[in-house]
Amino acid sequence: MARVVRPPGPLPRAESKARAVRAMFDSIASRYDLMNRILTFGMDMGWRRRAVAALGLPRGALVLDVACGTGDFCRLLAEAGHRAIGVDFAAGMLAAARTRAPLVRADALKLPVAGGAVDGITCGFALRNFAGLEDALGEMARALRPGGRVALLEVSEPPGALLRAGHSLYFNRIVPLVGGLLSDRRAYGYLPRSVAYLPRRSELVEMMRRAGLAGARRVPLSGGIAQILVGTRA
């Protein structure tokens, strides 16, 4: 399959990635929600609702939203009758959060909960930003009770050549342009290129299984421009 061409510019190396990503999200926190709505034409909230439904948990379940940002998932989890806790390592994002859920500043690689403490985990558009994706998935599995569920929302590349070409043009050219006009061009130049951190779809699902998330599967959204990754703690 042909790979999408990324805009030029180096991505942060492993040893500096966490610091660079934290600073970037702090810089765009005040307009993060607005930019999500504009750049996805409002589809991101529908995708998040699909992810909450994909958890398949009863009302009252305790759900940890990893890399919670400004609290979109926390609000939707509360609407669904769940008890949400948000975790993010960017202080600026937490300061801009609009949710009544408890918020904790912490790293996704060291979640501040005991093993088996939560019923579910959500995560929105952050897998490619973790300094160690496999470690983050293992930490999520550790935090879940047996039978607990994850629903991880992430960007993706559509399968068809024509749709993939249009998506590449929009994601790699238009997104940085609009981001530069309304927020931070450097940050919104990084975000499309950061897809390079994600493994291929089949490898990502297999990585979840190795972490202890049984029955891991991928659900494409909106023609494949986004995806939900679902798994159950073995």
Side-chain angles (χ1 to χ4, degrees):
M1 183 181 75
R3 301 297 292 169
V4 172
V5 177
R6 310 290 174 204
L11 287 167
R13 296 178 180 273
E15 60 271 18
S16 62
K17 183 177 178 180
R19 183 173 63 254
V21 168
R22 183 188 300 115
M24 181 194 70
F25 278 104
D26 280 340
S27 74
I28 64 175
S30 63
R31 290 200 164 190
Y32 183 72
D33 289 343
L34 173 65
M35 296 304 298
N36 278 346
R37 303 298 102 78
I38 291 173
L39 294 174
T40 68
F41 302 97
M43 292 188 293
D44 65 304
M45 292 302 286
W47 297 338
R48 291 177 195 274
R49 288 189 174 90
R50 286 278 301 275
V52 171
L55 286 172
L57 294 171
R59 292 177 67 86
L62 180 61
V63 181
L64 192 67
D65 183 29
V66 177
C68 66
T70 56
D72 278 342
F73 257 132
C74 288
R75 293 193 300 275
L76 294 177
L77 288 164
E79 287 178 11
H82 301 314
R83 295 173 292 141
I85 299 174
V87 174
D88 202 296
F89 75 164
M93 297 296 277
L94 295 176
R98 298 177 297 108
T99 175
R100 295 181 179 179
L103 302 176
V104 181
R105 188 180 181 192
D107 195 317
L109 304 187
K110 296 179 181 179
L111 295 175
V113 296
V118 300
D119 302 305
I121 289 177
T122 54
C123 181
F125 304 114
L127 299 184
R128 64 195 189 278
N129 294 320
F130 295 144
L133 177 54
E134 197 146 17
D135 291 338
L137 292 172
E139 183 67 353
M140 292 180 194
R142 180 197 67 80
L144 284 172
R145 63 166 172 78
R149 302 264 291 169
V150 298
L152 314 175
L153 177 61
E154 190 49 275
V155 298
S156 185
E157 294 175 358
L162 184 60
L163 185 57
R164 189 164 63 246
H167 177 260
S168 174
L169 175 64
Y170 179 76
F171 202 44
N172 295 322
R173 303 300 180 189
I174 305 303
V175 166
L177 177 61
V178 176
L181 290 173
L182 299 179
S183 183
D184 185 318
R185 182 173 179 81
R186 186 172 181 179
Y188 283 92
Y190 161 84
L191 289 171
R193 291 185 294 113
S194 66
V195 177
Y197 286 125
L198 287 176
R200 292 184 182 274
R201 293 187 287 264
S202 59
E203 294 172 4
L204 185 51
V205 169
E206 181 56 34
M207 190 180 291
M208 292 176 65
R209 291 171 179 160
R210 289 198 303 269
L213 298 168
R217 61 188 177 90
R218 175 181 175 272
V219 180
L221 303 171
S222 301
I225 64 174
Q227 59 185 326
I228 300 173
L229 298 148
V230 184
T232 304
R233 179 70 172 98

